[in-house]
């Protein structure tokens, strides 16, 4: 799940990512697959850490942060789409 704002998501994202901006996480958390691993990311991991803390407080234990965010993903050669 990409927790960046929608315009950043539209510009560049990891293939297959769901966009739920951090400001909407509280009202859209039910859109996430509770029975699967959820990987949260943003540009640099700051917002995604907040999102994962929020998810875990609500019982979604199988959630992780993509360390370094989209910046690290690209640097490691990860594919992105726009």
């Amino acid at each position: 799940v990409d927790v960046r704002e929608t315009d950043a998501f539209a510009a560049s994202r990891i293939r297959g990512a769901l966009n739920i901006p951090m400001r909407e996480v509280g009202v859209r958390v039910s859109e996430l697959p509770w029975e699967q691993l959820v990987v949260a990311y943003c540009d640099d991991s700051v917002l995604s850490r907040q999102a994962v803390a929020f998810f875990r407080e609500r019982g979604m234990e199988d959630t992780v942060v993509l360390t370094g965010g989209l910046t690290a993903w690209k640097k490691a050669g990860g594919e992105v789409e726009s």
Side-chain angles (χ1 to χ4, degrees), residues 15-41:
R15 183 169 312 202
L18 171 67
N19 180 228
I20 300 179
M22 188 61 205
R23 62 184 166 75
E24 297 176 12
V25 163
V27 296
R28 294 182 58 195
V29 67
S30 64
E31 295 177 33
L32 296 171
W34 286 59
E35 67 286 348
Q36 295 177 0
L37 172 67
V38 172
V39 179
Y41 75 92

Side-chain angles (χ1 to χ4, degrees), residues 42-64:
C42 57
D43 285 321
D44 57 10
S45 299
V46 175
L47 290 176
S48 53
R49 276 191 230 116
Q50 294 173 12
V52 166
F54 178 85
F55 300 149
R56 289 183 179 170
E57 286 172 4
R58 274 131 190 95
M60 284 184 77
E61 293 300 321
D62 206 12
T63 57
V64 296

